Amino acid sequence: MTDNLPDYFSINAWKIDCQRNLAWLGDEKVLVEPKAMMVLQYLASRPGETVSRQVLFEEFWPKQVVTEDALNRVMSSLRRLFKDNASNPEYIATIRKVGYKLVADVTVLNALTTEQQATLQNEPALIQATVANEERQIIGVMRWLAYLVIASVFIFGWRYLQHDKQQLAPANIQRLTHDKAINIMPTQSHQGDSFVYIAAEQGAVDQLMLREKTQTFPKRLGSTSSYSYPVFSPNDKRIAAIAQQPNQQFAIEIFTADNRQSQSVIPLEAVSHGLSWHPTANMLAYSQPTSPNGNHSIQLWDQDKHQATTLTEAIPGAHDTKPIFSPSGDRLVFQRQIAFKEHAIFSSDLAGNSHKVSHYFSDILGVSWLNDEQLLVSLNKGLFTLSLSGEIAPWSSTEVVGAQDIDHHPQQASSLFSKRTRRHQNLIYDFTSQPSRFALTRSDADDYAANISPDTKHFAFVSDRSGQKSLWFRSSDQLTRIEGSEFSEIFDISWSADSSHFSAVVKDQGRYGLLIYAVASAKHQLHWQSTRAINGIGWKTAQTLLYSELNRDNKQINWQLKSLDIASSDIINMAKFDVFQARLTPNKDKLLFIDANTRDLWSWDWHSTPQKLNSASRLDRNWDVNQQQILWIEQISGKTQLMRSNLDSAMITAEHAEALSSLYRPQATLHGLAATEVKQLQADIWQINQL
C-alpha cells in the first residue's frame, strides 16, 4: 500500500521534501523525524480519506510490539510542525475511534523547482541525506529479524517507560465540583487530601473555598473580601490568598486551615497577579507594579523579617506575573507578557538571575512544576512538558484541551485544573436611555470584537461559527463569512472613514499581518509584516492605515508608529516616540496614545511634541475616544464598570456595565459604545489521576 507515494508536495503554503525529510515555509525550515515524514507522505497520497490507526500500524510498525503512544507521538509531532490544533484542525483531523484524515489542500510536485532547490542548497548534510529511504530498508531487514526486533523493542520500551513514565502513564479524569458557581484557581494541599479554589457567583464577591476531596461540600474562608490565587503553606496548616478588601485596598490574607480565621494581613500597593508559598521557607512570591511604570515585577516577602524584596526588575513595557516556586524551592518560574498575544515562561533563582525558558506563545492557560527540571504547561492545543532548557513535548496519553490554572501534585501524581465554558457576544450600549443594550450578534458560538462602519451600514466581527476563528461581515440582513480569513488570532478591527475598507490584525504560525477587506469587491488582501507583534490603530485616510509594531531589546520595549499605504504597500515610520495603544479622534486631527513604559496618556497633533493629558485612568486595550471623552472598561471589586472621562479634565463617571470584556477593544459610537460581553457559563474543578 506504500506504492506511488509523492516525494514532493505542498500542503497549503508548506513545501515538503520527503527525500530530505524536510519541510519549509518561506525562510522557516524544519527537519522532520523520519517516521513522522513517512506517515505524512502516506496521508498526502490519500487527501480527504480517513486512514485507520490499524492501517498505519501495519504499514509503519510491521510485526513490531509497540504501544498506542508510538502513533500518538508521531501525530503530535506533525501537529507541532504545522502548529495545528486537534480541536479545530487545519491539516490533520482526528476521526474519533477510527483514525486520521489529511484535510488540508495537497498539491503533488513532480520535482523541486530551481528556486526551491536554491532555497535548500545551503542546508547541512544531515538534511540532504535520504533518511527516509534508509529507514524503509531497515524495516525490510527487520521483517526477517522479527524476534530480535521484538526483544529490542521490549527492552527499549521498558527503559523508556522507566525514564519517562510520567509522560506515558495512562490517566483518568474526574470532576470534583458540580455546583453553579464559576470555580477557578484550584490548588492542592501538600498531603493531597484537600484543595482550595475560588468560587464566583453573579452579584457576589469571589469567595475563597476549602474542601476535602472525600467530601461533597466546601467550607468558605473569609467573608467580605474578594479573593484570588489561593495557596497552602508547606505544612498545610495555613492558606494564603490575594484579597481585594471592601475599602478597595489589596492585601495577602493568611488563614488557619482548621478554624478558617484570618491570621495575618500583608498590605499590598496594588492587585497581585499570582501568589506562591515557598515549599520549606516562610516566604511568599507575588507580583506588584514597579514604580513608576506600572508594569508588574516579582516580589518576595519574608514573613519572619516582615520585609519585601524585588526579585525581577521587569523590563519597561513588560509584565512579570504568576510566580511558582519549584519543589525544592531553589528557583521559581514566572510568565512575562510583552504584547497582547505574546507570553513566555521565565525561570529565576532566588538571587534574581533569570533566563527565558520558552518561546512566546499566544496564550498560556496554566503552568505547574512536574519536578525540579520539568514544567507542566497548558496551551490552547493541550498539555505539554517543558524542560528548563526549553524542550517541549506532549504530556500524558490523555488529551486534555483548555485546562486553565493547572496545578500538579508530584507526590500524588495528580493534577487539578479548571475547565471553563465562556460565550462572547457583541453589544451596543446606548447612553441616551439609562443605558439600553442591543445585541449586534447572537449565536451559540463565540462572537467578539465587532466594529461598525462609519456610515452604519455594515459591521465586521470575529467568530468561530465555522469551527475556527475567522472574520464575518454583515451588510443589511446579509451575513457572510470572509473566505480565507481563518487565523489563529484576529483582533483590532477598524474601518476607513469612507466605509469602503476595514482592516484587522491577524496572527498565524508566529507571523503578524494586516488584512484589508474591500466592501465593493468583497475581496481582501494580506500584508504580512514580521514575527513582531502588531497593534492596530485605525485609518488616517481612505488609503492609509496606522499601526504600531513591537521593538524590544534586553532592557527596553517600545512600539514604533507606522503607516501602510494599501495601494502601494509602502510602509513609513511615522514617529520616534513610544506608541503602544493609540486611537484616532473622530475628525482625525489628533492621535491619542499610551506609551508602553509609563502607560501615560498623550495627545499628538501630527506636528508638534506630544502633550501629556491629565488622566487618572489606567488604560491598556480597554478604551476608545470620541470628540469629547475617553471611554474605557474597568473591573472594580469584581464588577465591570463603563468609565467616561472628559479629555480636558480628570473627572470620571462610572456605571455598571454587566460583564464587558477589556481584552477586545470597545468602539465609541454616536450615542454609546460597541463592546464584547463575556459570560462565564460554567467552570468546574477537574482532577487528572496518573495510574
Side-chain angles (χ1 to χ4, degrees), residues 98-166:
V98 179
Y100 302 92
K101 176 167 63 175
L102 190 62
V103 295
D105 293 331
V106 176
T107 301
V108 176
L109 307 175
N110 293 328
L112 295 182
T113 64
T114 303
E115 181 182 355
Q116 292 164 351
Q117 290 283 3
T119 301
L120 305 179
Q121 65 182 357
N122 294 323
E123 293 299 313
L126 175 63
I127 296 179
Q128 300 295 333
T130 55
V131 182
N133 288 335
E134 294 176 3
E135 178 153 317
R136 291 191 186 98
Q137 294 172 9
I138 293 173
I139 291 175
V141 174
M142 290 168 65
R143 287 172 176 165
W144 295 97
L145 302 173
Y147 291 109
L148 179 60
V149 169
I150 292 172
S152 299
V153 170
F154 271 123
I155 294 172
F156 172 80
W158 180 84
R159 288 180 178 175
Y160 183 82
L161 289 171
Q162 293 300 310
H163 173 72
D164 205 17
K165 61 184 178 182
Q166 189 104 35

Side-chain angles (χ1 to χ4, degrees), residues 326-341:
S326 63
S328 64
D330 62 349
R331 63 177 50 249
L332 51 77
V333 292
F334 59 92
Q335 297 181 37
R336 175 167 292 173
Q337 180 181 5
I338 61 172
F340 176 39
K341 290 294 181 181

Side-chain angles (χ1 to χ4, degrees), residues 632 634 636 640-645 652-657:
W632 73 96
E634 189 171 322
I636 300 176
T640 304
Q641 299 288 330
L642 178 58
M643 317 291 287
R644 288 187 273 177
S645 174
I652 295 175
T653 60
E655 56 194 60
H656 184 51

Side-chain angles (χ1 to χ4, degrees), residues 7-9 11 14-18 22-24 37 40 82:
D7 288 328
Y8 310 103
F9 54 93
I11 301 181
W14 283 87
K15 300 294 187 298
I16 310 297
D17 182 351
C18 302
L22 185 66
W24 76 95
M37 179 59 82
L40 177 61
F82 297 120

Side-chain angles (χ1 to χ4, degrees), residues 271-322:
V271 64
S272 173
H273 302 299
L275 182 64
S276 182
W277 205 315
H278 194 280
T280 56
N282 204 15
M283 181 187 298
L284 293 165
Y286 54 96
S287 79
Q288 282 291 272
T290 303
S291 182
N293 61 31
N295 303 123
H296 277 243
S297 64
I298 304 303
Q299 310 283 306
L300 297 179
W301 176 266
D302 189 318
Q303 298 187 67
D304 297 327
K305 297 179 180 179
H306 300 279
Q307 180 180 343
T309 58
T310 300
L311 182 70
T312 66
E313 294 291 344
I315 298 174
H319 289 280
D320 291 350
T321 59
K322 300 182 180 178

